[in-house]
Amino acid sequence: NIQKESTLHLVLRLRGGCPPERCCCCELYSGLKIWTIVFICLSGLGILNSIYEVIDPLGQRPDTGTPAAYSRFAINFVLYVLGILIYIYGLRAINNFDASKLRTFYKIEVAILVVNIIVTIIFAALLSAAITSAGAEGVIEPEVQAFLIVFYVVLLIVSIGILAGLTLWYVYGLKVLADKVEFGEISAEHPSGVTGASAAVTYSQKA
């Protein structure tokens, strides 16, 4: 029933890279779900490592059994458990295709990234001050002191770069997923995504 001189509006789905359309070798939804599970497992390994350090069966740590060692273990344990709970919250948001909770989750991830960067910088500053103090007291040679400071500065920059890059990539994927879920392009019925036209119909039905 198309009349002569009618205007046709075509909706084409453009397939992009990694993300917005994909996450590594998987579809966006599946890839983000897998990465979230990986982060949960890594946090669990962090807890096991903290327990191993406080027990210190090989006697490698000089502060084993001291209040400082137990305080460090308590802080790490709480942080790792908190991280697991946050990732479980995000995993539930992904599984339930909840755009609102997805947005909350990636905002929390950004806040954690900022805190991690600040803590890393503070730790590097304290370490640099300790090296400088040791050099002033003659404990280490000036050449070794300069090398250690440069080494830890470079290590700090690389660590922050890797942490920020991975987290921002992950957060961007979550944001894209939240937008697609809200628009109706990705849903429980179509986890791999639907065409732009179908998404528009789904979104209008939700509205």
Side-chain angles (χ1 to χ4, degrees):
N1 298 324
I2 299 177
Q3 303 297 322
K4 187 177 181 181
E5 304 297 332
S6 296
T7 301
L8 297 180
H9 299 276
L10 301 179
V11 180
L12 302 178
R13 185 185 184 192
L14 302 179
R15 294 191 173 274
C18 171
E21 292 298 329
R22 300 183 65 80
C23 181
C24 294
C25 299
C26 306
E27 297 165 348
L28 183 61
Y29 163 76
S30 301
L32 290 174
K33 183 176 179 179
I34 291 172
W35 271 106
T36 305
I37 294 174
V38 168
F39 290 144
I40 292 174
C41 294
L42 290 177
S43 297
L45 290 176
I47 293 177
L48 294 178
N49 183 65
S50 298
I51 295 174
Y52 177 82
E53 287 183 353
V54 75
I55 296 175
D56 193 20
L58 301 180
Q60 297 175 328
R61 303 185 69 88
D63 60 347
T64 300
T66 63
Y70 289 116
S71 298
R72 183 176 62 250
F73 165 74
I75 293 173
N76 289 336
F77 183 83
V78 171
L79 291 177
Y80 281 124
V81 170
L82 183 60
I84 289 176
L85 293 177
I86 291 173
Y87 282 121
I88 290 176
Y89 173 86
L91 184 60
R92 288 174 60 88
I94 294 173
N95 284 333
N96 295 332
F97 298 91
D98 191 325
S100 177
K101 290 184 178 180
L102 280 170
R103 296 187 191 284
T104 301
F105 177 50
Y106 74 67
K107 289 176 182 177
I108 293 175
E109 284 295 296
V110 172
I112 292 175
L113 171 63
V114 173
V115 172
N116 282 334
I117 291 176
I118 293 174
V119 170
T120 304
I121 293 175
I122 293 175
F123 173 77
L126 294 175
L127 184 61
S128 177
I131 294 173
T132 303
S133 176
E137 295 174 359
V139 178
I140 58 177
E141 297 295 329
E143 294 81 5
V144 177
Q145 174 187 346
F147 169 78
L148 289 175
I149 291 177
V150 172
F151 173 77
Y152 282 114
V153 167
V154 173
L155 183 63
L156 170 67
I157 294 174
V158 173
S159 300
I160 290 179
I162 294 175
L163 176 65
L166 179 60
T167 303
L168 292 177
W169 170 82
Y170 178 64
V171 165
Y172 176 64
L174 292 170
K175 182 181 182 304
V176 172
L177 179 61
D179 292 339
K180 289 180 178 294
V181 168
E182 184 176 12
F183 185 70
E185 188 173 344
I186 291 180
S187 61
E189 294 78 18
H190 304 283
S192 60
V194 296
T195 62
S198 299
V201 172
T202 304
Y203 184 76
S204 63
Q205 289 175 347
K206 288 184 178 181

